[in-house]
């Protein structure tokens, strides 16, 4: 069983095409479902906000253009109706329109028009500002989801690249330890047969051997969870990029203030403003909302002016207006608590992030000291190589290699704790790395 595991681990890894870390992130973005979905939602929200800013661009339309034909016993008559309108919608709640229609009847063989009509209309309570605020809120909300999706891809690729290297190296070291221990068990068994070793020594060695096999299986499982193998160049460019991204970080107090500018915080604040205005206007639910309109039509024989006033109102409903009025204040209180809770949670997240960085820094220092001790031990064993076995010398060398690997892991963990702070601050890791 052990020999089969060792044989599999010693098989050569596939040769990989050289690539950079950033290229790997870009390729992952092209296939990540969460990112692509967030990107689509973001583009839709941008379009809606652009519409709000383009109110001076009119809709030009042919509304219900028609062509009708009637056939009698002796004649064929056709009628063409060409309506035309230019409409400016929702300019501060107002709708402005310029319209006309032309009609051609073949029996008369002439065109006629209804005259140019200039009209304006507005609901008394239009609340157009709430619609604009809602679109802005949605844009900030989807912007945060898009940013989070991009950053998650960045971090996932970074972890994947590191794990590819770390667990491959860990497998190599552990498999060599397993080989050494297997040889030791065989020697103990032979020594026991001639009476120069105790049975307890064999049992202890076999226990260590099984623990190594168990450790090897766990490392193998972690290694297989990596999506693919990455070349050394990707690891090198990734570590360089992580060092560059985290070289300058704000102080803890600066970060607590900066985090308030995140997209989701702005979305929550706009949600609070919407709830406040809705609460102030809750009385409108009890009132009719009339539409006021005015129009002037110009014809060849003169002009006409019309004024309009219309509304609809349910004299009796099923409690909808009463419920809407009653819950407006509750929604305001809930939105205020939600906004305050978000600020508190971000404050805690920033403080936790700095605590994690301090812990990671200490862990790295411990790993450096451990490596120094392992090197001292290797140096001591090397000087006595005439008096120690080759197995002890190789074991000391493996201890140094594993300590170097764990120091590298501690360095990566420290960098990722700093990257986590950047994510909390709402920094676009892909963009500052040179992407879109």
């Amino acid at each position: 069983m052990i020999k089969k595991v060792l044989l599999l681990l010693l098989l050569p890894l596939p040769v990989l095409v050289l690539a950079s870390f950033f290229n790997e992130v870009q390729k992952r973005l092209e296939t990540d479902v969460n990112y692509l979905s967030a990107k689509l939602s973001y583009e839709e929200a941008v379009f809606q906000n652009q519409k709000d800013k383009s109110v001076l661009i009119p809709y030009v339309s042919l509304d219900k253009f028609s062509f009708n034909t009637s056939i009698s016993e002796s004649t064929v008559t056709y009628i063409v109706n060409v309506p035309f309108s230019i409409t400016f919608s929702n300019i501060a709640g107002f709708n402005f329109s310029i319209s006309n229609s032309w009609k051609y009847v073949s029996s008369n063989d002439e065109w006629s028009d209804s005259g140019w009509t200039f009209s304006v209309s507005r609901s008394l309570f239009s609340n157009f500002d709430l619609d604009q605020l809602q679109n802005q809120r949605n844009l900030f909300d989807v912007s945060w989801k898009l940013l989070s999706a991009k950053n998650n891809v960045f971090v996932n690729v970074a972890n994947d690249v590191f794990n590819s290297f770390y667990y491959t190296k860990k497998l190599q070291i552990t498999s060599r330890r397993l080989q050494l221990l297997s040889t030791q068990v065989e020697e103990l068994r032979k020594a026991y047969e001639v009476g120069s070793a105790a049975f307890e020594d064999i049992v202890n060695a076999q226990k260590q051997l099984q623990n190594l096999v168990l450790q090897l299986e766990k490392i193998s499982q972690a290694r297989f969870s990596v999506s693919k193998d990455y070349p050394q160049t990707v690891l090198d460019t990734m570590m360089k990029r992580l060092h560059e991204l985290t070289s300058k970080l704000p102080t803890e107090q600066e970060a607590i203030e900066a985090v308030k500018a995140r997209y989701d915080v702005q979305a929550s604040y706009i949600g609070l403003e919407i709830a406040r205005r809705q609460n102030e206007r809750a009385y409108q639910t009890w009132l009719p909302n009339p539409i006021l309109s005015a129009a002037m039509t110009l014809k060849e024989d003169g002009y006409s002016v019309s004024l309009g006033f219309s509304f609809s109102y349910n004299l009796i409903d099923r409690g909808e207006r009463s419920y809407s009025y009653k819950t407006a204040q509750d929604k305001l209180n809930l939105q205020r608590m939600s906004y305050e809770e978000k600020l508190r949670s971000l404050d805690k997240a920033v403080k936790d992030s700095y605590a994690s960085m301090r812990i990671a820094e200490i862990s790295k220092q411990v790993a450096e000291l451990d490596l120094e001790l392992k090197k001292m031990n290797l140096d001591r064993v090397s000087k006595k190589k005439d008096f120690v076995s080759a197995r002890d010398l190789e074991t000391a060398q493996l201890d140094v290699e594993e300590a170097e690997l764990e120091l590298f892991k501690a360095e990566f963990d420290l960098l990722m704790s700093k990257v986590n702070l950047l994510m909390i601050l709402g920094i676009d890791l892909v963009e500052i790395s040179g992407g879109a």
Side-chain angles (χ1 to χ4, degrees):
M1 171 64 181
I2 295 175
K3 291 182 179 179
K4 290 182 179 179
V5 173
L6 290 173
L7 181 61
L8 291 173
L9 293 173
L10 294 175
L11 290 175
L13 293 175
V15 178
L16 301 170
V17 178
L18 296 183
S20 71
F21 169 68
F22 185 69
N23 290 338
E24 295 295 334
V25 174
Q26 291 287 59
K27 287 191 289 186
R28 187 75 66 88
L29 285 172
E30 293 172 0
T31 58
D32 188 81
V33 174
N34 291 331
Y35 167 73
L36 295 176
S37 176
K39 183 180 179 183
L40 180 60
S41 298
Y42 172 78
E43 290 171 351
E44 293 174 352
V46 169
F47 174 74
Q48 291 299 326
N49 274 267
Q50 287 176 341
K51 284 175 58 179
D52 289 343
K53 297 177 181 179
S54 304
V55 292
L56 297 181
I57 299 177
Y59 290 95
V60 180
S61 61
L62 298 174
D63 186 23
K64 295 182 180 180
F65 174 89
S66 63
F67 177 85
N68 299 304
T69 303
S70 62
I71 302 174
S72 63
E73 294 181 355
S74 58
T75 61
V76 176
T77 304
Y78 58 89
I79 302 173
V80 179
N81 188 44
V82 184
F84 175 79
S85 66
I86 300 175
T87 304
F88 295 85
S89 297
N90 202 21
I91 301 179
F94 287 89
N95 294 321
F96 299 89
S97 177
I98 304 172
S99 62
N100 200 346
S101 64
W102 294 268
K103 185 176 182 180
Y104 176 79
V105 181
S106 63
S107 61
N108 299 331
D109 192 23
E110 65 178 8
W111 286 89
S112 62
D113 69 278
S114 61
W116 287 100
T117 300
F118 304 86
S119 63
V120 57
S121 64
R122 187 185 194 275
S123 297
L124 183 60
F125 307 124
S126 69
N127 293 319
F128 68 95
D129 57 328
L130 296 184
D131 295 333
Q132 294 176 347
L133 284 175
Q134 187 59 51
N135 286 337
Q136 292 175 15
R137 179 189 183 184
N138 185 53
L139 178 59
F140 280 124
D141 185 53
V142 297
S143 295
W144 174 249
K145 292 178 180 178
L146 177 62
L147 174 61
S148 298
K150 289 171 68 177
N151 284 346
N152 286 337
V153 168
F154 183 96
V155 170
N156 289 339
V157 173
N159 285 321
D160 227 22
V161 171
F162 174 80
N163 289 337
S164 173
F165 168 82
Y166 175 78
Y167 287 114
T168 297
K169 191 69 175 177
K170 195 79 169 176
L171 278 173
Q172 294 171 354
I173 294 173
T174 306
S175 62
R176 287 166 60 189
R177 288 188 185 280
L178 190 59
Q179 287 177 313
L180 292 174
L181 192 56
S182 298
T183 303
Q184 182 182 358
V185 170
E186 290 297 325
E187 292 175 354
L188 283 174
R189 186 175 288 109
K190 292 178 181 179
Y192 173 74
E193 291 175 355
V194 297
S196 61
F199 182 71
E200 182 179 356
D201 295 334
I202 297 178
V203 174
N204 284 330
Q206 288 178 334
K207 179 182 177 182
Q208 295 176 23
L209 187 65
Q210 290 303 316
N211 283 334
L212 266 182
V213 172
L214 178 61
Q215 182 180 355
L216 198 64
E217 289 294 337
K218 291 181 178 179
I219 296 172
S220 299
Q221 183 182 33
R223 179 66 184 84
F224 293 150
S225 67
V226 177
S227 63
K228 68 175 186 177
D229 297 322
Y230 296 89
Q232 183 69 36
T233 53
V234 174
L235 177 68
D236 294 340
T237 57
M238 180 194 75
M239 294 300 292
K240 180 181 179 182
R241 173 54 61 191
L242 294 182
H243 278 291
E244 291 172 350
L245 294 181
T246 59
S247 60
K248 295 181 180 180
L249 296 177
T251 64
E252 185 170 334
Q253 190 57 44
E254 288 173 341
I256 290 175
E257 292 300 319
V259 78
K260 297 176 183 178
R262 275 180 22 169
Y263 289 136
D264 58 330
V265 177
Q266 296 182 61
S268 182
Y269 179 79
I270 292 176
L272 175 60
E273 178 62 19
I274 291 173
R276 184 186 66 78
R277 296 188 188 188
Q278 287 176 334
N279 180 64
E280 291 176 350
R281 304 170 191 180
Y283 67 89
Q284 294 177 1
T285 190
W286 296 105
L287 302 176
N289 190 10
I291 297 176
L292 309 176
S293 61
M296 181 176 68
T297 302
L298 301 177
K299 294 184 177 181
E300 293 181 357
D301 56 351
Y303 68 91
S304 62
V305 176
S306 63
L307 299 175
F309 176 86
S310 64
F311 70 89
S312 60
Y313 188 75
N314 290 325
L315 298 177
I316 299 176
D317 64 6
R318 297 180 179 178
E320 292 89 349
R321 285 176 294 191
S322 177
Y323 177 79
S324 177
Y325 181 82
K326 182 179 64 175
T327 58
Q329 182 63 47
D330 294 336
K331 290 180 179 179
L332 174 59
N333 293 334
L334 179 62
Q335 191 62 45
R336 182 181 293 111
M337 288 187 291
S338 175
Y339 177 68
E340 293 172 351
E341 175 60 28
K342 179 172 285 294
L343 292 180
R344 285 194 297 269
S345 65
L346 290 179
D347 182 275
K348 182 178 182 300
V350 169
K351 292 178 179 178
D352 288 345
S353 180
Y354 276 90
S356 296
M357 285 191 291
R358 290 191 291 269
I359 293 172
E361 183 65 48
I362 295 173
S363 297
K364 182 183 176 182
Q365 293 172 3
V366 172
E368 290 172 344
L369 294 173
D370 184 62
L371 175 60
E372 186 65 26
L373 289 173
K374 294 298 193 300
K375 287 182 175 179
M376 292 169 61
N377 181 61
L378 176 61
D379 183 63
R380 184 166 53 250
V381 173
S382 298
K383 292 178 179 179
K384 299 179 180 179
K385 60 181 178 180
D386 294 335
F387 305 99
V388 299
S389 65
R391 182 173 60 246
D392 291 339
L393 181 61
E394 186 172 0
T395 298
Q397 180 63 46
L398 290 175
D399 289 342
V400 171
E401 291 180 14
E402 190 160 24
E404 289 174 340
L405 183 62
E406 293 306 317
L407 175 58
F408 184 64
K409 183 178 185 302
E411 179 185 5
F412 176 75
D413 290 342
L414 175 59
L415 289 173
M416 292 307 291
S417 69
K418 294 179 179 180
V419 167
N420 181 63
L421 173 65
L422 296 179
M423 293 177 64
I424 292 174
L425 294 176
I427 303 298
D428 191 329
L429 300 176
V430 176
E431 183 178 356
I432 64 176
S433 297

